[in-house]
Amino acid sequence: MNILFVCTGNTCRSAMAAAIMNKIAMENDLDVRIESAGIFAQDGQSASDNAVKALETYNIDLSNHRTKPVTEDIVKQSDIILTMTEAHKQILKPLAEEKVYTLLEYAGDSGDINDPYGGDLDEYRNTAQEIYDSLVDVAEKIADIKNND
């Protein structure tokens, strides 16, 4: 299963979500390929410093992350697209209506993942925790899908 995480700039939320999901997938032996991209991302930027620091709490190294924009190809290659906000979802719906969800929606909740961009380290840690908690539910859902195939 190919999962794409999408936010605005791909320096914070979607980058953190992809890295956290990679860790959860490895720990739970999930067969997934994970990518992240940003709707307005430039190619090749680093993750924000506070995103890197926030993920150190989970023993995840985000220092090698490089941003990339959402493209039609990456959308086509994805089985599930998980956006950080409803607005991101609405932008991508014309390209991928049947496979785009907000992260919280797919996890069985509602709302948006708050954007910590420009905030302090505590804001990034809170966002990382919110993403982590949601991805635990997403991982269970993916495992259930695989077990029912």
Side-chain angles (χ1 to χ4, degrees), residues 61-122:
D61 181 5
L62 193 61
S63 63
N64 292 325
H65 171 77
R66 294 297 172 261
T67 58
K68 63 182 162 198
V70 173
T71 63
E72 271 191 62
D73 281 345
I74 198 171
V75 166
K76 285 179 187 171
Q77 294 166 11
S78 302
D79 297 309
I80 300 171
I81 301 168
L82 301 177
T83 66
M84 298 300 120
T85 69
E86 182 67 30
H88 297 133
K89 176 183 166 182
Q90 293 306 319
I91 290 168
L92 292 177
K93 258 186 143 177
L95 290 174
E97 183 159 357
E98 73 288 349
K99 59 185 178 180
V100 64
Y101 308 87
T102 68
L103 172 57
L104 291 176
E105 173 187 19
Y106 199 77
D109 206 345
S110 62
D112 292 341
I113 300 290
N114 291 324
D115 189 354
Y117 185 78
D120 63 19
L121 183 54
D122 282 340

Side-chain angles (χ1 to χ4, degrees), residues 19 23 26-27 52-62:
K23 180 181 175 78
M26 282 192 284
E27 292 170 350
V52 173
K53 290 176 188 168
L55 289 195
E56 289 172 357
T57 307
Y58 303 92
N59 294 316
I60 297 171
D61 181 5
L62 193 61

